[in-house]
Amino acid sequence: MSVLTQHLPQLLDGLLSTCLLMVLSFAGSLAIGVLVAAARVSPVRSLRAAATGYVELFQNIPLLVWLLLFVFALPEVGVIFPLFTTAVIVLALYEAAYMAEAIRSGINSVGRGQAEAARSLGLTTPQTLRHVVLPQALRSVVQPIGNVLIALTMNTSLAAAVGVVELTHAANEVNLAEAQPIPVFVGAGLAYMAVTLTIGLTTGLIERKVAIVR
Amino acid sequence: MLDGSRGGAGPGVPMVSIRGLRKSYGGHLVLDDVDLEVGAAEVVVIAGPSGSGKSTLCRCINRLEVPDSGEVTIGGQPVPLEGRQLARIRAEVGMVFQQFNLFAHRTVLENVALGPVKVLRQRPAQARQRAQELLDRVGVGAQAAKYPAQLSGGQQQRVAIARSLAMDPKVMLFDEPTSALDPEMINEVLDVMKSLARDGMTMIVVTHEMGFARSAADRVVFMDAGRIVEQAPPEQFFSAPRSQRAQDFLSKILIHS
């Protein structure tokens, strides 16, 4: 155990970095996910096709491949971001595909009559989505969105593979120095667990708070 | 009071004009070359057996249902095919649905104020005040802060009517407004509709409530198998229907009344 306390600052830095990756890419993936989901139910065929293409593209290529592509291939064509920023962008884009599918299932759960009533009042399609359909859809998919966030949190550890110093990377460095894999990686695992259990609890609270009176 | 007589169509121009409307679902013809004109302040009840195309006709007027061919004009203006112009016309055509379709995530007051704020760009305070007045008028003012699911069906439908009225529509469509209601709540909704009719609102009402047709309609349009079979003032339609189909229909539904 002393190995953990000795390297606590380094590990806490890693944990902070993990949390930052998580929060930033969650915000990004939620924003992109809403847009992609909205495009998937759009009356405009080209928008629907583009959104479907997006989801298929990111769901059918592994996250690690995307990370490697962005970190090593983009600089080849002259696009260079700081490493951490690149990881946030890739995670946000990748998880947005899953976010979009979760949100779309919520949109489909909103009764047809709700959109018809909105349209018959003269709301345009974007207004109907924004003021009537999405607010109800998002309330019904708090739990699925929480699940995507948990998966996203796990996936932040892949950023270690391209050199982002987050929790897994920090734990690996500590182990290389101390050769005590059991306390180091069990400790890191428990830290991940604490984060995701917190997410799960929070999701449950939010879900109850925003529930629609039915 | 309501400004139910709001114009838009010039003299001689019908408020709603439907020409050659056709609609089929997978080979089944639901509307077969329907023509109908409705004048300003006229109350038209569309009656007929289930599956005769009444609701589809109603929903084609504001293009919630897209007809295969034919033309609809509101106040002399053709209803645009899509986009912003279509939304603008829809804002002038109120619609009340069988299932009420109140916005479940918004309070009753917000339901009524949403259209005026987002579509007519009224100031929220002004829209809410008008919403409260309309809710009072249809007798559900005390429920303004509740959510739709906390109201009875009859109350929800009256809120839906207030929500349509808030847009100051030129014409109102009612698609079986009492068919989802418990019997004891039907009259409270019909009473509101009758008062609208008295105030000069142009109304197209799809309903099985023949009592309403008798007392409030200027004309009954009888449909069967996607066609308008006959139309007449209610006294004439109920006492001396000309077509065999209308006679059959009336004998089935009026047997106990």
Side-chain angles (χ1 to χ4, degrees):
Chain A
M1 280 310 279
S2 66
V3 65
L4 292 181
T5 48
Q6 272 164 25
H7 293 276
L8 201 57
Q10 191 182 353
L11 291 168
L12 281 181
D13 274 354
L15 180 60
L16 184 69
S17 180
T18 289
C19 289
L20 210 57
L21 265 180
M22 173 190 93
V23 170
L24 293 176
S25 47
F26 172 66
S29 66
L30 191 59
I32 302 168
V34 166
L35 292 177
V36 173
R40 285 207 88 173
V41 299
S42 157
V44 182
R45 185 195 297 261
S46 56
L47 271 180
R48 280 203 308 276
T52 307
Y54 181 95
V55 171
E56 295 303 335
L57 187 65
F58 281 96
Q59 284 194 338
N60 291 298
I61 295 176
L63 176 58
L64 187 54
V65 173
W66 283 114
L67 281 165
L68 292 167
L69 262 173
F70 271 67
V71 172
F72 298 115
L74 280 190
E76 293 277 303
V77 293
V79 182
I80 301 173
F81 289 114
L83 191 55
F84 186 85
T85 311
T86 309
V88 169
I89 292 172
V90 174
L91 276 165
L93 289 173
Y94 179 83
E95 298 296 343
Y98 293 88
M99 215 54 106
E101 288 300 87
I103 294 166
R104 185 168 69 113
S105 75
I107 291 174
N108 289 339
S109 78
V110 177
R112 230 183 119 73
Q114 295 283 308
E116 286 186 348
R119 281 154 59 207
S120 76
L121 284 175
L123 270 72
T124 59
T125 305
Q127 283 180 319
T128 299
L129 261 180
R130 178 162 163 229
H131 299 298
V132 175
V133 178
L134 275 176
Q136 298 186 57
L138 288 174
R139 281 169 164 87
S140 71
V141 292
V142 170
Q143 200 67 58
I145 286 177
N147 291 340
V148 174
L149 176 56
I150 288 171
L152 181 154
T153 309
M154 302 290 134
N155 284 340
T156 57
S157 64
L158 280 177
V162 291
V164 177
V165 185
E166 41 64 79
L167 181 56
T168 301
H169 199 290
N172 200 32
E173 278 179 349
V174 171
N175 181 51
L176 287 176
E178 304 285 347
Q180 294 198 52
I182 294 176
V184 169
F185 290 118
V186 168
L190 288 175
Y192 277 110
M193 229 173 134
V195 172
T196 52
L197 285 176
T198 310
I199 294 170
L201 283 174
T202 314
T203 322
L205 286 177
I206 294 175
E207 189 171 48
R208 277 192 293 282
K209 198 163 170 62
V210 301
I212 295 171
V213 186
R214 295 225 183 257
Chain B
M1 281 311 285
L2 289 163
D3 180 14
S5 59
R6 172 175 153 181
V13 179
M15 186 60 90
V16 177
S17 167
I18 298 166
R19 294 220 178 284
L21 213 59
R22 279 175 188 275
K23 171 84 185 169
S24 59
Y25 292 113
H28 175 64
L29 203 55
V30 191
L31 291 180
D32 184 4
D33 199 15
V34 173
D35 295 323
L36 182 67
E37 286 196 349
V38 179
E42 194 181 8
V43 176
V44 170
V45 162
I46 304 179
S50 297
S52 58
K54 318 181 289 290
S55 282
T56 308
L57 175 61
C58 188
R59 291 163 57 84
C60 279
I61 294 172
N62 66 352
R63 249 187 127 70
L64 281 185
E65 212 73 67
V66 179
D68 299 335
S69 62
E71 195 191 44
V72 177
T73 64
I74 309 282
Q77 290 177 288
V79 176
L81 299 188
E82 55 190 6
R84 245 163 225 294
Q85 292 78 13
L86 175 57
R88 208 166 296 144
I89 280 274
R90 279 181 177 148
E92 301 180 346
V93 180
M95 183 149 199
V96 175
F97 300 85
Q98 182 176 352
Q99 298 296 339
F100 331 131
N101 294 342
L102 294 179
F103 305 133
H105 65 302
R106 297 210 173 220
T107 65
V108 162
L109 190 75
E110 289 167 347
N111 262 274
V112 181
L114 181 73
V117 171
K118 300 300 173 193
V119 178
L120 304 179
R121 304 283 167 200
Q122 288 178 6
R123 285 202 315 279
Q126 178 197 350
R128 293 170 78 88
Q129 191 191 339
R130 175 90 203 290
Q132 185 63 54
E133 288 165 15
L134 287 167
L135 288 170
D136 290 337
R137 181 172 193 278
V138 299
V140 286
Q143 321 293 332
K146 290 188 180 167
Y147 284 88
Q150 296 170 299
L151 271 56
S152 73
Q155 289 173 326
Q156 289 191 53
Q157 194 61 300
R158 285 183 282 154
V159 174
I161 293 173
R163 180 174 67 176
S164 285
L165 289 175
M167 300 297 291
D168 284 325
K170 287 178 181 170
V171 50
M172 285 187 70
L173 311 174
F174 293 83
D175 185 7
E176 304 209 23
T178 58
S179 298
L181 295 176
D182 291 337
E184 74 269 26
M185 293 170 185
I186 290 176
N187 280 331
E188 64 191 52
V189 172
L190 291 180
D191 286 344
V192 171
M193 291 168 59
K194 282 178 195 167
S195 85
L196 284 179
R198 276 197 301 274
D199 288 345
M201 177 63 76
T202 309
M203 296 165 65
I204 298 176
V205 185
V206 173
T207 186
H208 294 291
E209 293 297 326
M210 291 304 124
F212 175 81
R214 223 186 258 277
S215 64
D218 297 308
R219 181 163 38 128
V220 176
V221 170
F222 177 73
M223 288 186 72
D224 189 38
R227 288 174 162 275
I228 292 176
V229 178
E230 74 172 274
Q231 38 187 321
E235 323 76 75
Q236 188 184 326
F237 177 75
F238 288 110
S239 58
R242 292 189 303 271
S243 65
Q244 187 61 45
R245 302 242 191 93
Q247 287 165 18
D248 290 348
F249 177 74
L250 287 175
S251 73
K252 277 175 197 150
I253 61 164
L254 295 180
I255 206 152
H256 297 295
S257 54

